[in-house]
Structures are given as C-alpha cells and as structure tokens.
Amino acid sequence: MIKVEALTRSFGAKRAVDDISFEVARGEVLGFLGPNGAGKSTTMRMITGFIPPSGGKVSVCGFDVVDHPLEAKRRIGYLPESAPSYSDMSVIAFLNFAADMRGLRGDLRKQAIRRVVQTCHLDSVLGQTIDTLSKGFRHRTCLAQSIIHDPEVLILDEPTDGLDPNQKHEVRELIRTMGKTKAIIFSTHILEEVEAVCDRAIIIDRGRIVANGTPAELKAGAPSGRLEDFFRSITRSDTVQHAEAGAQA
Amino acid sequence: MNAPDMNAAVTAASNPPVLSAWAAIKAIAKRELSAYFESPVAYVFLVIYLLLAGFFTFTFGGFFERGEASLGAFFNWLPWLFLFLVPAVGMRLWAEEQRLGTLELLLTLPITTWQAILGKFLASWLFLGIALLLTFPVVLTVNVLGDPDNGVIAAGYVGAMLLAGAYLAIACMTSALSRNQVVSFILAVVLCLLLVLVGFAPVTDLLSRWFGPVVIEAIAAFSVVTHYDGFQKGVLDSRDLLYFLSVIFFSLFATGVIIRDRRAG
C-alpha cells in the first residue's frame, strides 16, 4: 500500500532524510522511531505530499505521490505533528469542512461525521470553538479529520504526544483496530507503544534506517532484551551529535 | 475508542469520491468566509471601513460642497482607504495557515495549490464586496438629493471592486511570504502604495522635471490610480479591466510560486 524507495531530502547542505526505503502492506501497523530531528516528520511529510522529495519515490496504493498527487492524497489520512486545526472554528464546522474537502455529501457525509464523532468521543464538544478545548480534545478533533474519509492509508505523526495515559490507551486501541484493514505508519517516542501496537518498527537516526524488524526482533538486538537499550545502542542523542559537530568545526 | 464500522470502511475506501475543482474552491472559500464572520474581525473591519468611508466622503471629499449629484467624493478616497484596509483583510490568508500549522493539513488534502489560492482569494474578495455593498446609503443619499447618473455610479463600483481585487491579490502574495501577519501587512501596504504613487499627480509632476512625457506616461500606466480613474468617469475600458485582471493574475501566480518554493525548502 505504501512504497518508499530511496527517499532523500536535503535542506541546504543538510541531508534530513538519506536514502530510505521500506514498504507497508494493508493490515500492517508500522512504528516509526528515532531521536528528535532524525527525519521522521520529514519522511512523513514526503509520503503525504506536503513537501517534495529531493530524490527517490513514494507511492501510495500504486499512485506516485509526485506524479499523481490527488489520487494519492485521496487515499491518505494524515495527522500532522502537534495536531493543527483551525482554532477559530467549532468542532462540527471543522469536521464539516474536512468532509467537504473529501468530497463527502448528503447521507455519506452525515454518516462519516457521526462515525468519527463517536470514534473520537467528540459528542460533548461539537459546538465548541476549538480554541477553548483541552489538548486532548483538540488532538482528537484533528485525528477525527484524518479518518473522516476512511482512508486506506493513515499517517500519524506522534498521535499520542501530550495525551494523558487514558487517552494514550484509547488512541493505541484505535490504531490497533484500524490497523487490521488499513496500512498505518505512526511515529512515537514511547517505546512501549511500539511493542503494544506495531507489527513492525523502523528506527531511523540522522536520516538513515538503522533497524527494521518486529518488536521482538529489535528487542533481541540488545543483551538485556529491552527495546530501550537497543534504541540507545544504535541511535545517538543530540548532545553527542552537537559535540561531534563542534569538534569537526 | 470504539471500533469504526468495518463494512463502511471497505466500500468507501476502495473508491474514494472525487472532488471537482469548483467544489474544492467553493469548500475552501466557504471556510474562509465563515472564518471572517466567526471571529470579531469581520465586524470590526466593516464598522471601521464604513466609518472611515463616511468620514472621507463628507469631510475631505467635500460631498456637499461639490454641488453635484455624484459619488466622486466617495470614490476619490477609496485608493487611499483601501491601501490600509485591504491588506488588513488579506494579511491572514496564508500567514495564519503557516502560524497555526494548518498549511500542512490544507496542502495534504486532495486539492491543488491553485484551488486553495483561488478559494481563499475569492472568499476575501467577496467579503470586500459585501463591505462595498454596505455603502449603499451613500447611493441612496445622492439619489434623494439630486439626479445622479447611476450608470457612472455602477461603473465606479466595478472599478472599486477591481481595485480591491488587485490590492487583495498583492496582500495574498505577501501573506504567503511570512508566518507573521504584521510583516505581510506592511509589505502589502508598501507594494500597493508604490502602485498608487507612480500615477499620483504630485509624484508624476515631480518626475516630469527629469523625464519626458512618454516616460511619465509609461510609468503611470503601471499605476492603479490611472486605471481606476477611468471607471470613475463612467468609462468601462477593456484596457483598464485587463490591467486589474493582470495584476490579480500575476500576484496569485506569484503566491503559488512562493508557496511551492517554501515547501521545496
């Protein structure tokens, strides 16, 4: 469903994403791990067509994101990092807009909105301005937007960031349920989440894939058998990177 | 969270609905227009605009002193009034999207950048049209007091609408340049001012000291005032129309290039 080939992206002289390739099939949930600034968001932005790649290819359901952007985008649901939304709008107005933009009309639109409102527990805040909502509700409003058209492919950039433990649990459950019929990529910093939800995980560091396997395989890579130790053994913290950059200069 | 309905999932997903270009533009415009009215911005703007328009018309414009039944007093000041008010309407169009991060949502929807630009522009233009329509009491006043040529007044409104469109397209372009609305506002005012000044009599008089009339005329041809004046005389000249439409087209095209370049990094 999602095919990424030799994907590369430079910002000036810096290579944010360097020759990344992987595939995600229908019914698979892929966890995307890596330190801050490793290139997770940049990769996701290229898959969703927000920024063009400097090199390589992305295709979604067989449609090249650069050559057939509309066909690809129709099949993608996207939750950007920090879950942005139009803060002046009410929740229902925002969902109506999202449904409009997905070409949903009439009964189909009513059903879609009813479904996401139920799924994301938004019934109690429908008339409220997004500005006035708590972080959890704002987050779920943006999540609702991403699944309103029941996309085949879901790209979720840190979907549990900033949520309380109950909300985190609910989002994980949701990802797991939807993962049975969709192809999902989600990024996270919480390693237990990967074990709980993902079929497979990719760890990237400084723009490159440094590990790719099932959670069990990754855990086996550390003597202690803990995912966290494995993660720390193959990625570098940004303080180390800075120290090195300083030494080179 | 509850499990989504799986049957609906399969049918809807296999063949996602296609949004026509016009439907996409309309949906964007609808959201944009309601954004004006859902915040106090629209009302504050309308009140200030109508107050200032009335003030200029009846004081500096010399509405009564003119001794003629026309809207000259009203239209004469519009290029200056719009100079500040139109960029105020347009400054948020793209700057706000960049600040909120919603640009990422907007541009990952199944629409082209062109459709988004056009939808936003048309919504704001329509809003300015509403503001202009609300000046109808001035039209009623001259019709009560005298016997004006309503054809000239209609042409005047067409010119005012085109002027607003040209300023707005420029504000749209500068709005794409920055996530800061103040920066985009100031840039738009400066650019619009430039387009006013090159045709403004005191400036052309000054320039005529150094340049011949051919050069002055060529420079003045770039001015909104030169082309706006024709409409105020009741003349609908296709060249004036073409001028305004090209300013609009060029600025919106530049908006598209800026947005693409900012994403390309």
Side-chain angles (χ1 to χ4, degrees):
Chain A
M1 299 282 278
I2 307 170
K3 198 170 174 193
V4 173
E5 289 169 90
L7 196 62
T8 301
R9 171 73 204 209
S10 319
F11 294 102
K14 188 180 173 261
R15 283 210 158 177
V17 173
D18 194 359
D19 195 21
I20 281 185
S21 303
F22 63 86
E23 282 182 43
V24 187
R26 185 193 289 275
E28 193 176 21
V29 179
L30 175 74
F32 225 46
L33 298 171
N36 283 323
K40 299 189 296 289
S41 290
T42 307
T43 306
M44 291 179 146
R45 284 174 168 173
M46 287 191 280
I47 296 173
T48 55
F50 178 58
I51 56 175
S54 312
K57 275 183 157 207
V58 181
S59 70
V60 171
C61 305
F63 294 101
D64 189 288
V65 172
V66 175
D67 296 333
H68 302 281
L70 298 189
E71 290 292 347
K73 285 172 179 177
R74 248 173 232 140
R75 291 164 171 83
I76 302 175
Y78 179 37
L79 176 76
E81 200 179 358
S82 76
S85 54
Y86 293 105
S87 51
D88 284 344
M89 294 177 99
S90 68
V91 172
I92 186 70
F94 181 66
L95 293 180
N96 273 321
F97 168 69
D100 279 348
M101 295 313 295
R102 296 297 181 174
L104 297 168
R105 277 168 221 279
D107 279 348
L108 222 56
R109 177 173 127 143
K110 267 186 218 151
Q111 279 170 22
I113 290 177
R114 202 177 310 135
R115 177 174 50 82
V116 296
V117 165
Q118 202 185 7
T119 309
C120 301
H121 300 299
L122 296 169
D123 342 57
S124 58
V125 296
L126 277 182
Q128 274 194 51
T129 309
I130 295 174
D131 239 356
T132 64
L133 298 177
S134 68
K135 185 161 186 181
F137 274 118
R138 258 182 294 167
H139 208 92
R140 293 207 293 256
T141 305
C142 192
L143 182 65
Q145 156 288 130
S146 71
I147 57 174
I148 199 155
H149 54 306
D150 225 329
E152 291 176 86
V153 169
L154 255 184
I155 313 286
L156 309 169
D157 200 349
E158 301 197 5
T160 57
D161 183 45
L163 299 182
D164 69 34
N166 295 329
Q167 295 164 339
K168 277 194 171 96
H169 176 75
E170 289 198 333
V171 171
R172 276 178 216 157
E173 287 298 307
L174 183 68
I175 293 175
R176 203 160 31 192
T177 323
M178 292 193 300
K180 288 173 190 155
T181 53
K182 302 179 193 303
I184 300 181
I185 301 180
F186 82 101
S187 69
T188 180
H189 283 301
I190 305 164
L191 299 174
E192 307 89 72
E193 210 153 70
V194 175
E195 301 184 61
V197 179
C198 297
D199 303 306
R200 196 154 57 87
I202 282 177
I203 301 179
I204 62 173
D205 184 32
R206 284 168 297 157
R208 287 171 174 277
I209 294 181
V210 291
N212 181 354
T214 64
E217 285 168 7
L218 296 183
K219 277 200 295 196
S224 64
R226 288 175 59 213
L227 195 53
E228 188 186 333
D229 293 332
F230 179 67
F231 181 86
R232 293 190 51 196
S233 71
I234 58 168
T235 61
R236 286 196 282 181
S237 75
D238 51 357
T239 47
V240 176
Q241 287 176 32
H242 274 128
E244 274 188 359
Q248 280 170 5
Chain B
M1 295 193 183
N2 304 319
D5 183 349
M6 292 305 166
N7 293 330
V10 176
T11 48
S14 50
N15 197 9
V18 176
L19 194 63
S20 74
W22 177 237
I25 291 170
K26 224 167 61 180
I28 296 277
K30 197 175 113 192
R31 195 207 69 76
E32 203 63 46
L33 200 61
S34 66
Y36 281 117
F37 287 102
E38 269 168 26
S39 66
V41 179
Y43 306 100
V44 171
F45 173 86
L46 288 176
V47 169
I48 290 178
Y49 167 69
L50 293 173
L51 280 177
L52 286 179
F55 177 71
F56 278 115
T57 306
F58 292 103
T59 57
F60 299 124
F63 180 77
F64 293 113
E65 293 81 354
R66 283 173 172 246
E68 58 181 33
S70 80
L71 250 54
F74 166 66
F75 284 127
N76 269 349
W77 286 97
L78 272 190
W80 299 97
L81 189 55
F82 275 179
L83 188 56
F84 295 96
L85 289 176
V86 174
V89 168
M91 65 183 184
R92 48 172 285 286
L93 284 178
W94 292 98
E96 179 85 343
E97 298 268 0
Q98 295 180 60
R99 192 182 62 81
L100 287 175
T102 45
L103 189 65
E104 203 165 338
L105 282 183
L106 188 67
L107 296 181
T108 52
L109 289 170
I111 55 166
T112 64
T113 310
W114 252 111
Q115 289 162 2
I117 291 173
L118 220 59
K120 277 171 168 287
F121 173 77
L122 290 177
S124 309
W125 206 13
L126 189 65
F127 176 67
L128 290 169
I130 294 171
L132 264 175
L133 274 184
L134 288 176
T135 60
F136 72 91
V138 198
V139 182
L140 294 183
T141 309
V142 287
N143 271 294
V144 168
L145 293 178
D147 186 20
D149 184 341
N150 280 314
V152 174
I153 291 179
Y157 271 104
V158 171
M161 200 56 201
L162 287 169
L163 177 73
Y167 282 179
L168 183 66
I170 289 168
C172 203
M173 175 177 74
T174 60
S175 178
L177 277 173
S178 169
R179 61 169 58 210
N180 187 326
Q181 295 194 22
V182 178
V183 172
S184 79
F185 173 77
I186 292 171
L187 283 175
V189 172
V190 169
L191 284 177
C192 294
L193 182 65
L194 214 66
L195 285 186
V196 172
L197 286 183
V198 289
F200 188 46
V203 176
T204 47
D205 289 350
L206 189 71
L207 289 174
S208 64
R209 288 195 208 165
W210 300 294
F211 303 109
V214 182
V215 179
I216 299 295
E217 219 169 282
I219 294 175
F222 282 101
S223 172
V224 287
V225 178
T226 316
H227 298 279
Y228 176 71
D229 280 348
F231 289 99
Q232 304 321 320
K233 292 176 190 126
V235 184
L236 290 175
D237 189 329
S238 58
R239 281 172 301 180
D240 296 335
L241 189 69
L242 191 68
Y243 167 82
F244 282 112
L245 293 182
S246 10
V247 171
I248 292 171
F249 178 80
F250 172 80
S251 302
L252 293 184
F253 183 78
T255 308
V257 172
I258 290 166
I259 291 171
R260 201 191 61 204
D261 273 17
R262 282 180 74 94
R263 285 155 77 198

